Structures are given as C-alpha cells and as structure tokens.
Amino acid sequence: MSKNTAAITAVGAYVPEDVLTNQMLEKMVDTNDEWITSRTGIKERRILKDPEKGTSYMAIKAAENLIEKSGIDPTEIDLVLLATVTPDLPVAATAVYVATQIGATNAFAYDLQAACSGFLYGMSTAAAYIEAGRYKKVLLIGADKMSSIIDYTDRTTCIIFGDGAGAVLFEPNYEGLGLQDEYLRSDGIGRHSLKIEAGGSLMPPSEVTVAKKLHFVQQDGKTVFKFAVSNMADVSELIMKRNDLTNNDINWLVAHQANQRIVSATANRMKLEDEKVLMNIERYGNTTSATLPLLLSDFEQQFKKGDNIVFATFGGGFTWGSIYLKWAYNS
C-alpha cells in the first residue's frame, strides 16, 4: 500500500450579507478610501450585525455549505476542528456546538487558537490525525466574528478586519496528493504587538477594563508589518527550497489576507507571477482564521488535480508558517 497522505476533498464558505465599505468608514473615523486602499488593498469587509449571532453561526453555515456541495453524510465525520480567536463563549468550545448543530454526532470537536495562523496550524493538526490512520474524515473550519472585538473609533484596526468563515474536509489519499510538507513557527516576542489586553487570567473583566476599551484588539502596526513581511516570505521560500520547487512548479500562492503589500512581498520572494497569487482582501478584509479557506472557496473552480499550492500565514503571538500541498481533485 502506498503512503497515506492527507488531502483536501471538499471546501465550503460563508460571509455575512452586510457590507462595510471604505466610504462608510470615512464617516466613522478620520480616514479615507485612498489611504485604506493604498496601504492595505481593502475596499470593503463583511459584518455579522445580528448581536444574537456569534462565530458559531458562520462556522455552521460554512460547514453546511461544504456538506451540501460534497454530499457527505455528517455522521461520517470523525473530528471537527475550529480555528478561531472569537469563540462564542470563553469555556465551552465553539467547535463542540458546531459539530452538534451540523449533525456530526459521531465526531469529537475542539477549538484551536493561533490568531491569523490558526487555520494553517489546523491543517497540520488535521493532516497528522489522517496520516496516523486514526481518523478518515476531519472537518477543519476557520471562522471569526472580528467585528465583536474591534473598536470602531480606532482607525488603526477598524479598517482592517471583517467577519467570515470557511471550511475544508481532509481525507486520506494514496496517490501522493494532499499535504506534502510544513514549516510552522512561533515567537513570544510578539505577545504585546497584537493583543487584547483584558479578559484573560492576567486581567479579568472589570468596570475599569471596559471603560478603557481593553477588550478590543490593539495592534502595533509597524512592528507587525515588519515581522510579517520578513517571516511570511522566509518560510515560503524555505518550503520551496526544501522541496526542490521553482517558481515554475508553483501553481498558486494562498497567503493570509492581512495586507496586500505583505502578500506581494511574499510572492516577490517566491518570484511568482501575479496571476498565481490569490487575493480577495479587497472584498473581505482580514477575516483572521477564515482568510485561507475563503480563498480556497473563491478560487476553487480554478484548481486542478495535482496543482502545487503554497500556503503562508502570519499572526499574533507571533505565529507564522508555510505549508506545501498538492490539490487532490478537479473542481
């Protein structure tokens, strides 16, 4: 029997209907469309406005979209992983609720948190379970309601983030397709450069933390940008060298949609043509854990069996990494 690798066999996605454009932000904070577009590449983002709906709502919708498209029986799913920084509740894992709601009654489930690298880390986790032969079908979801943790009077963060969810199904493959290699990294030096200061065990919620808006995302933009540009490019170049891949061998770059300039810098280091660099940041902004699966969903029809895809991410913590994957089916 040939080696068992973990391949993506289905994709699903969901974004809320409500759109927050740059022009709308101009009326909320001191900014403008030209400034936002030139520095980030973002034109609009989706917002889940209903206060009674959390991250689980979008995760369920993305999973249901995958189930409908693939025709899979949810009871066949062995494991549900949810990458998110915005769980519904602090203790009860959101993935558990999602699994129950989609009918994955034979699966166990848990959340995974690595900021914007969460989905990439989840790919590694899902693949490890598949390659070990423990499970046959692993559903990996990336979902975040970033609007729930953004201060819309802070122009350094409110222009960047949006809400959304995406999902993929991992299954065993015996044709040499699927996940080929990974290089995942982290460094605690970034702990204070991208954070939510209050709400954890170090600074529990209080009247003071709420009054000081310490439950919203805070970002040292210059530091994060500097580390993201160098590290995303470094790991992407390394994964190519380690697998003897040239720019001609790569069909697609699927990079975290944090900033158009960061993605372009990574693509330039890889010497990739623009048409190989997948981008949808202009429509969604940075959806954190959902950016990678949303790219896969938006461009799924262009993928062909055997395509070489390089994934790259950078997130708070700091966390970052790259994965080399061979696409497993003709879309």
Side-chain angles (χ1 to χ4, degrees), residues 10-12 59-60 62-67 70 72 74 76-83 95 98-99 102 104 107-110 119 122 126 130 135-142 166-171:
V11 177
I60 291 166
E64 289 176 340
N65 178 241
L66 181 150
I67 291 167
S70 65
I72 184 179
E76 295 179 358
I77 297 172
D78 301 305
L79 166 63
V80 176
L81 297 171
L82 175 61
V98 171
I102 65 173
F108 74 103
Y110 61 89
F119 190 84
I130 295 290
Y135 305 109
K136 300 290 186 183
K137 290 178 170 60
V138 178
L139 178 65
L140 170 63
I141 306 168
V168 301
L169 183 68
F170 274 93
E171 295 185 87

Side-chain angles (χ1 to χ4, degrees), residues 122-159:
M123 290 176 66
S124 172
T125 306
Y129 279 116
I130 295 290
E131 291 168 2
R134 298 207 170 204
Y135 305 109
K136 300 290 186 183
K137 290 178 170 60
V138 178
L139 178 65
L140 170 63
I141 306 168
D144 272 305
K145 186 181 179 181
M146 293 303 295
S147 61
S148 67
I149 56 173
I150 296 299
D151 176 6
Y152 284 93
T153 66
D154 179 4
R155 68 175 184 173
T156 65
T157 56
C158 72
I159 66 170

Side-chain angles (χ1 to χ4, degrees), residues 309-328:
I309 302 177
V310 171
F311 294 79
T313 61
F314 184 88
F318 290 129
T319 59
W320 70 98
S322 183
I323 280 177
Y324 164 39
L325 176 140
K326 282 183 173 290
W327 197 249

Side-chain angles (χ1 to χ4, degrees), residues 7-53:
I8 293 174
T9 59
V11 177
Y14 173 80
V15 291
E17 293 181 0
D18 287 301
V19 177
L20 178 61
T21 66
N22 290 349
Q23 287 75 19
M24 294 165 73
L25 282 169
E26 289 176 359
K27 301 175 182 178
M28 299 164 62
V29 291
D30 182 17
T31 191
N32 60 72
D33 174 63
E34 190 281 328
W35 193 92
I36 297 172
T37 303
S38 63
R39 285 162 177 78
T40 68
I42 302 169
K43 282 290 189 181
E44 60 187 40
R45 52 297 292 136
R46 300 298 184 96
I47 304 296
L48 184 61
K49 288 188 175 182
D50 190 337
E52 295 184 2
K53 293 176 179 176

Side-chain angles (χ1 to χ4, degrees), residues 188-195 197 202 218-220 224 317-318:
I189 193 174
R191 178 169 176 156
H192 298 293
S193 297
L194 179 54
K195 63 182 180 180
E197 196 164 357
L202 277 177
Q218 301 170 43
Q219 176 173 269
D220 176 358
V224 174
F318 290 129

